[in-house]
Amino acid sequence: RIPQGMDPGLPGELLSGYTQGTEFSIKHNESLRTITVGEANGECVVSGADAVVLEITEQGVSITGTDPAATMRGFITMLERIEYDRASDSFRIPCGHIEEKPHMAFRSVHLCLFPETPLRFVKKCIRACGIAKYSHIVLEFWGMLKLDCKAELAWPFAHTKEEIRPLIEEARALGMELIPM
């Protein structure tokens, strides 16, 4: 179960990717900042900016962050802990209590969109940044975004806002903020 405002597509796709294509039923819960798997106990107590707590028991997993971005980083931590058990041909997550807080509030990367840069590659980069738990991405367009105010600043073959919007949504869904340049 995921928070109300979270789109189930990305968590489901990531979870499936970490479990060799296993499909999951993802539903929304009442919380705005907790993800639960199985019969988890619900929200954990979290303190401090950008902090997240994972409570992993035999019954389920509870991931609670101080905000949606922290909760998504906790979800990524859960993905990192998934193990495959050959004997039972199943996946498991070792039980435990994990509290995480980044050492730096601003963790960023700078990505450039050049004429030869496919948007699919940029999406892969954004996803890698999310998995690496960056907080911000500086996205520099190099004339590859058609602007409303100054059309002459973009290449004729530049991307439209509608083409770029899914990249922005992907970054936000992974708990990152985009900084346009």
Side-chain angles (χ1 to χ4, degrees):
R1 296 189 177 273
I2 60 175
Q4 287 294 329
M6 190 179 283
D7 178 0
L10 181 63
E13 188 179 330
L14 290 173
L15 193 52
S16 177
Y18 272 77
T19 58
Q20 298 179 350
T22 304
E23 290 193 28
F24 295 88
S25 172
I26 297 182
K27 301 173 186 170
H28 287 100
N29 61 38
E30 298 302 316
S31 172
L32 297 176
R33 58 190 189 108
T34 300
I35 296 173
T36 58
V37 179
E39 300 301 318
N41 294 331
E43 283 196 17
C44 301
V45 177
V46 183
S47 60
D50 291 336
V52 64
V53 173
L54 288 83
E55 193 64 49
I56 305 166
T57 67
E58 290 293 330
Q59 290 71 41
V61 179
S62 179
I63 305 164
T64 304
T66 52
D67 58 36
T71 302
M72 184 49 106
R73 284 191 297 278
F75 180 75
I76 291 166
T77 297
M78 181 197 76
L79 294 177
E80 293 169 345
R81 296 183 55 83
I82 294 174
E83 298 175 351
Y84 175 68
D85 181 10
R86 286 184 192 267
S88 64
D89 190 33
S90 64
F91 296 94
R92 64 182 299 275
I93 302 171
C95 294
H97 177 86
I98 302 168
E99 294 185 33
E100 288 186 333
K101 181 181 174 186
H103 294 288
M104 295 172 51
F106 187 83
R107 302 166 313 282
S108 70
V109 67
H110 183 137
L111 298 177
C112 294
L113 267 77
F114 296 113
E116 63 272 10
T117 309
L119 291 183
R120 181 173 164 83
F121 175 74
V122 177
K123 180 179 178 177
K124 286 181 180 183
C125 290
I126 288 172
R127 219 170 254 184
C129 291
I131 297 299
K133 301 179 186 174
Y134 282 96
S135 63
H136 295 78
I137 296 176
V138 176
L139 198 54
E140 187 170 0
F141 289 98
W142 287 92
M144 287 303 297
L145 178 63
K146 292 181 179 174
L147 304 172
D148 296 335
C149 61
K150 286 280 203 183
E152 60 271 13
L153 292 179
W155 293 101
F157 46 84
H159 302 292
T160 64
K161 290 180 183 179
E162 291 73 29
E163 292 173 310
I164 297 298
R165 191 166 284 115
L167 299 175
I168 295 168
E169 291 169 359
E170 180 93 5
R172 287 182 180 155
L174 287 164
M176 296 178 292
E177 183 179 334
L178 277 174
I179 301 169
M181 185 174 182

